[in-house]
Amino acid sequence: MPSLVFSNGRWQLAVAALATPFFARLFLLSQPVVKGLLIVLPLQLGAYLVMWWEVIPAPGVLYYIIAAAYGLCYFVPFVIDRIAATRLAGFASTLVLPLSWFLVEILIQLLTPYGSWSSAGYTQMGHAFLTPLAAWVGVAGVAFVTVWAASVASWMVMTKAPLKRRLLMSALWAASIVALVLLARTPAAIDMPGVSNVPVAAITPSNEVTLRVQRAVQAARESGGFSDEVLARLDGITSELNDGLLMRSRDAARKGARLIVWSETA
């Protein structure tokens, strides 16, 4: 499953985040439980070691421990889904994988210092279709819909239900998702006297410059210290990053933003 490497992390692609659970579920359901899981597990761990390279800010062995831990956490939903598949039939079975995934993401957000950092919901933020749902159900909710779409697609392929029933269930599912998205996009018509809207701008740092900072810090850690030369180079890169943030903030203010927010690690 080459799509695994692109399903999140450094080279994330929205389509890969859909394709990975789709193909993983098809494979697992076509294999004996233990055999399938033992094949997918090393692929999952290997992909997570690659996809988070130069993204997780941890030196040496600690990086591999954290990346592998994430891989194990997101392997759990596939284990639950595969076991439940022997006991649950019909369209309802498509909910097991996304619900398990959603619960894993919520637990990661609550129990780790990285919060929602690894959420599959972020893979869909590059386009505007599912983004409005984040206001209602959070980024874990967007991940739920993403994984559910893959689960429904795999059910369509593998179910023995008549074609008419498959098409009907899929159409009803798609219509409900579209309706939710459209509803989330519609501003609430609430008449609140004395309350005015405040224009807000959210500014994130340049991905390219952020990676350059992370590489410089990683190289310094691996070399054993921060020399004057390294600190001078870091100062130049971080100045470039901050100048970009300030320039975009000024531009947002000129366009009317009254509240400007930078991302957590900007």
Side-chain angles (χ1 to χ4, degrees):
M1 290 177 288
S3 61
L4 256 171
V5 175
F6 304 100
S7 62
N8 208 332
R10 184 174 178 181
W11 301 284
Q12 62 180 240
L13 298 172
V15 66
L18 288 162
T20 295
F22 169 74
F23 287 114
R25 195 166 190 268
L26 286 182
F27 175 78
L28 287 170
L29 292 176
S30 69
Q31 301 291 319
V33 177
V34 176
K35 178 184 176 182
L37 292 173
L38 288 177
I39 291 174
V40 171
L41 178 57
L43 294 176
Q44 171 96 343
L45 295 179
Y48 271 70
L49 293 178
V50 174
M51 71 169 64
W52 293 109
W53 185 252
E54 292 190 332
V55 178
I56 294 177
V61 176
L62 183 58
Y63 163 77
Y64 295 99
I65 294 173
I66 294 174
Y70 275 119
L72 284 172
C73 287
Y74 286 106
F75 180 67
V76 171
F78 291 110
V79 175
I80 296 173
D81 180 66
R82 182 61 187 89
I83 293 173
T86 61
R87 298 170 173 82
L88 191 63
F91 189 80
S93 64
T94 65
L95 282 166
V96 177
L97 182 61
L99 278 174
S100 304
W101 194 290
F102 177 81
L103 290 174
V104 165
E105 291 211 353
I106 293 298
L107 289 174
I108 288 175
Q109 291 178 27
L110 294 174
L111 302 178
T112 72
Y114 294 105
S116 64
W117 197 48
S118 63
S119 175
Y122 291 125
T123 64
Q124 306 302 311
M125 296 298 140
H127 54 84
F129 180 66
L130 293 179
T131 306
L133 290 177
W136 284 15
V137 292
V139 70
V142 177
F144 171 88
V145 175
T146 302
V147 177
W148 195 15
S151 188
V152 169
S154 66
W155 175 81
M156 280 279 291
V157 172
M158 299 199 71
T159 184
K160 296 179 180 179
L163 178 60
K164 185 176 180 180
R165 175 173 170 75
R166 279 184 278 173
L167 293 176
L168 176 62
M169 295 301 297
S170 299
L172 289 173
W173 175 85
S176 65
I177 296 298
V178 171
L180 281 174
V181 170
L182 292 176
L183 193 58
R185 285 172 179 243
T186 305
I190 302 176
D191 185 14
M192 299 180 66
V195 176
S196 58
N197 293 327
V198 177
V200 177
I203 310 295
T204 57
S206 163
N207 287 335
E208 179 186 351
V209 182
T210 300
L211 277 176
R212 284 165 54 197
V213 172
Q214 291 173 351
R215 287 169 182 164
V217 171
Q218 185 78 3
R221 286 172 173 167
E222 292 175 354
S223 66
F226 289 80
S227 64
D228 291 340
E229 181 183 351
V230 170
L231 289 174
R233 185 164 66 251
L234 271 173
D235 182 62
I237 301 173
T238 54
S239 293
E240 181 183 348
L241 186 146
N242 290 330
D243 288 345
L245 287 167
L246 288 169
M247 181 181 66
R248 292 165 64 194
S249 297
R250 292 191 187 101
D251 184 56
R254 292 191 192 101
K255 293 179 179 178
R258 300 292 300 276
L259 177 63
I260 299 173
V261 182
W262 290 5
S263 60
E264 180 183 1
T265 57

